[in-house]
Amino acid sequence: MILFLQSLLLFLITFVMYIYIRHQRKLDSTKTLPPGSFGWPLVGETYQILFYKIEQFIQDKQKRYSSEIFKTKLLGESTVVLSGSSANKFVSMSEPKLVKVWYLKTQCMLFNLENQTHAAPKHAAIAAAPVKILGFLKPEGLVRYMGNKIESIIDQHFMTHWVGKTELKVYPLVKTFSLTLAYHFYLGIDEPNHIAKFDSKFDSLYYGIYSVPLHLPGTTFYRAMKAATAIRKEIQFLINENIDALSKGLVIDESLLAHIVGAEKDGKYVPKIEISNIIMGLMNSSYTSIAITLAFMIKHIGLRPDIYQKILSEHDGITKSKGAGTKLDWNSIQKMKYTWAVAQETMRLYPTAPGVFREAVTDITYEGFTIPKGWKIFWAISGTNKNPKYFPDPESFDPSRFEGNVPAPFTYIPWGAGLRSCPGQDYTRFVIINFIHNLVTKFRWEVIVTDVKVSGSIAPIPTEGIPICLHHL
């Protein structure tokens, strides 16, 4: 019996591989497909991006096939990976005529979109509408609604976690700060104990997006689904609180949630489930990315006295011109060009968004190859970051790359480009510069472990948290 089952299994595996290879050869004979490999039948090469660094996976494939385009199979989908400045320009300018947004199955399930098609779920358009109407993520909105709050939040953060310390680990603390600020800004919540309960839940949600969608206890995706359910339930509870307060004529806190709920008065109705998905998505995308950028930025400032002094001089100049204790307005933030250059160089070396997915809506000809209709496109937006063609000596930390002669168009696009570029770039700049402003005017520091180990297959995570010695000014 056992021998029969083994023989049957071997036959089935052989049959599946035969059908797969035959299908691919037939496809290859009719279209000039990009170079590359689909990997194993069914599973493709998904395991390589889930268990290794996606950056290394792309680099290895580029060396073997092409630096601009290659094919693979990811998460069960025939996929073309596009990278380089020409690819950045092509994809960003091809939507919606040639390509459309495509979401991973995990994204659809985590954000309660399992009954939507993968192509441009209905919530995407709804999500964009209230944010655009309210201008909440625009500079004037950020300064208006966060100008006073962010100073007090940062002060409280430093008093609680930094003041009185001589040694600390940066990454866990900036994660706490980033989530605290997100709760204030997006939800109007300022209770530390309440926020702390959701720290691990947002981590689980973040890592669940790039995981195998197996909803089984103990898996990364299972934890992510539980986290998403808890976060969504919490946001919907807050929605009901806001609605109740508005019905009683009470003044509610200035937050994105409150403004989206309040927009109903003007006929801009957004269903509760959509509101929770909008807020959860915005918090998920900003929370970890800001923490990672701040952590590695603080590391490099601590390792380079020349960078520290130049940043300190820039911030002292702003303080003297505006007066001590004066909050930073958007004009002040724009003047801090060197600080932002340091942030940009940090994001170049430690990208938190390796790429995004699109789908070909028709057969596409690119670089002499055909991308068949229905195939998925992984647009490697960070694929140019360490290309010596665009950034000489790419592994060195050099903020001057972003001073004066800035990178050529489409060679550096941390926010994406085109119709769907990230709406949170001004929020990121506002938060990072405010935090660094307060940090350098209160402390100086040295990095204890200079050779910081980096883990994480999708986003770079400082394994040891970046321990520093802290000195109070």
Side-chain angles (χ1 to χ4, degrees):
M1 184 65 179
I2 294 175
L3 181 61
F4 170 75
L5 291 175
Q6 289 176 336
S7 300
L8 180 61
L9 179 61
L10 179 61
F11 170 76
L12 289 174
I13 292 173
T14 304
F15 180 73
V16 170
M17 291 186 70
Y18 169 75
I19 296 297
Y20 175 81
I21 293 171
R22 184 179 177 183
H23 171 73
Q24 293 306 136
R25 284 179 176 174
K26 183 178 179 181
L27 188 62
D28 288 348
S29 66
T30 59
K31 301 179 186 297
T32 306
L33 298 179
S37 168
F38 286 113
W40 291 93
L42 302 180
V43 298
E45 297 182 314
T46 304
Y47 67 95
Q48 294 194 42
I49 66 167
L50 293 181
F51 302 107
Y52 302 96
K53 291 184 178 180
I54 190 169
E55 179 184 22
Q56 191 61 51
F57 166 75
I58 291 175
Q59 288 178 354
D60 290 346
K61 291 290 185 180
Q62 287 175 329
K63 290 177 182 177
R64 185 173 181 182
Y65 300 114
S66 166
S67 62
E68 300 287 334
I69 180 173
F70 64 86
K71 70 174 182 284
T72 181
K73 177 161 281 195
L74 302 177
L75 302 167
E77 300 284 349
S78 297
T79 304
V80 170
V81 178
L82 296 181
S83 180
S85 61
S86 296
N88 292 341
K89 181 178 181 180
F90 174 78
V91 178
S92 65
M93 299 181 70
S94 295
E95 191 176 352
K97 185 177 180 180
L98 299 179
V99 303
K100 61 184 177 182
V101 69
W102 182 78
Y103 294 98
L104 297 170
K105 184 177 181 180
T106 51
Q107 289 174 296
C108 293
M109 294 174 72
L110 288 169
F111 291 91
N112 203 27
L113 301 168
E114 61 270 21
N115 294 322
Q116 307 277 0
T117 61
H118 285 189
K122 185 175 68 174
H123 98 287
I126 296 176
V131 172
K132 184 176 181 180
I133 291 167
L134 297 170
F136 212 83
L137 294 174
K138 298 297 183 183
E140 57 273 17
L142 293 169
V143 173
R144 178 180 176 186
Y145 301 119
M146 287 299 294
N148 292 321
K149 290 182 181 179
I150 194 168
E151 290 288 339
S152 62
I153 293 169
I154 293 174
D155 282 343
Q156 184 60 50
H157 171 77
F158 282 134
M159 286 297 297
T160 303
H161 301 288
W162 295 64
V163 172
K165 306 293 193 303
T166 55
E167 289 188 11
L168 51 80
K169 290 186 176 181
V170 171
Y171 183 59
L173 296 186
V174 292
K175 275 183 65 183
T176 298
F177 161 73
S178 182
L179 186 61
T180 299
L181 186 64
Y183 260 83
H184 274 265
F185 183 69
Y186 294 113
L187 300 176
I189 297 293
D190 59 359
E191 301 171 16
N193 292 334
H194 178 97
I195 296 168
K197 291 192 300 183
F198 284 85
D199 188 329
S200 61
K201 291 180 174 59
F202 272 98
D203 279 347
S204 296
L205 177 63
Y206 185 84
Y207 292 113
I209 291 174
Y210 288 94
S211 67
V212 178
L214 292 176
H215 199 197
L216 299 173
T219 64
T220 299
F221 185 70
Y222 181 83
R223 289 191 294 271
M225 285 292 287
K226 285 188 67 176
T229 300
I231 294 168
R232 187 179 293 108
K233 182 178 178 181
E234 172 72 5
I235 295 174
Q236 290 182 358
F237 172 78
L238 294 171
I239 291 171
N240 289 331
E241 279 197 336
N242 277 270
I243 292 173
D244 184 55
L246 283 172
S247 68
K248 295 176 181 177
L250 300 176
V251 177
I252 55 180
D253 289 334
E254 298 285 6
S255 68
L256 182 58
L257 175 64
H259 277 265
I260 293 177
V261 171
E264 289 187 36
K265 293 181 182 178
D266 302 320
K268 304 177 184 72
Y269 175 74
V270 184
K272 293 179 185 179
I273 189 67
E274 303 296 350
I275 295 176
S276 60
N277 286 333
I278 294 166
I279 300 294
M280 188 164 66
L282 288 170
M283 293 180 71
N284 175 70
S285 61
S286 64
Y287 157 53
T288 305
S289 60
I290 286 177
I292 290 171
T293 301
L294 277 174
F296 284 109
M297 193 174 174
I298 292 169
K299 168 208 162 184
H300 283 284
I301 295 172
L303 289 173
R304 294 276 299 276
D306 58 319
I307 293 177
Y308 172 80
Q309 287 299 330
K310 199 167 180 179
I311 287 180
L312 181 61
S313 176
E314 185 172 72
H315 287 260
D316 279 345
I318 293 292
T319 300
K320 289 176 182 177
S321 66
K322 295 187 67 65
T326 305
K327 68 179 182 180
L328 297 180
D329 55 25
W330 191 251
N331 286 333
S332 300
I333 287 172
Q334 287 182 303
K335 290 177 181 177
M336 296 184 183
K337 297 184 184 299
Y338 184 73
T339 305
W340 187 236
V342 175
Q344 288 179 292
E345 177 69 346
T346 303
M347 290 185 285
R348 183 190 69 81
L349 277 176
Y350 308 97
T352 57
V356 292
F357 281 95
R358 295 290 186 262
E359 180 179 323
V361 298
T362 185
D363 282 1
I364 298 172
T365 300
Y366 181 77
E367 293 292 317
F369 300 106
T370 298
I371 304 173
K373 177 182 178 180
W375 275 36
K376 306 308 177 285
I377 297 170
F378 182 75
W379 177 16
I381 61 176
S382 65
T384 53
N385 288 14
K386 295 182 181 179
N387 189 329
K389 177 181 176 181
Y390 311 122
F391 299 99
D393 193 12
E395 294 295 335
S396 68
F397 189 84
D398 182 8
S400 68
R401 303 179 201 272
F402 297 93
E403 293 185 288
N405 296 323
V406 296
F410 298 104
T411 61
Y412 177 74
I413 53 168
W415 321 106
L419 293 176
R420 293 183 176 273
S421 58
C422 177
Q425 53 186 298
D426 290 329
Y427 174 80
T428 299
R429 185 173 186 175
F430 184 77
V431 172
I432 287 175
I433 290 184
N434 265 287
F435 189 91
I436 295 297
H437 174 71
N438 282 270
L439 179 66
V440 298
T441 53
K442 289 179 172 68
F443 309 98
R444 61 180 178 86
W445 62 96
E446 293 96 32
V447 178
I448 296 174
V449 180
T450 57
D451 184 19
V452 177
K453 293 182 174 59
V454 179
S455 62
S457 59
I458 303 300
I461 306 297
T463 305
E464 298 173 41
I466 308 184
I468 63 171
C469 286
L470 192 66
H471 306 279
H472 299 70
L473 297 178

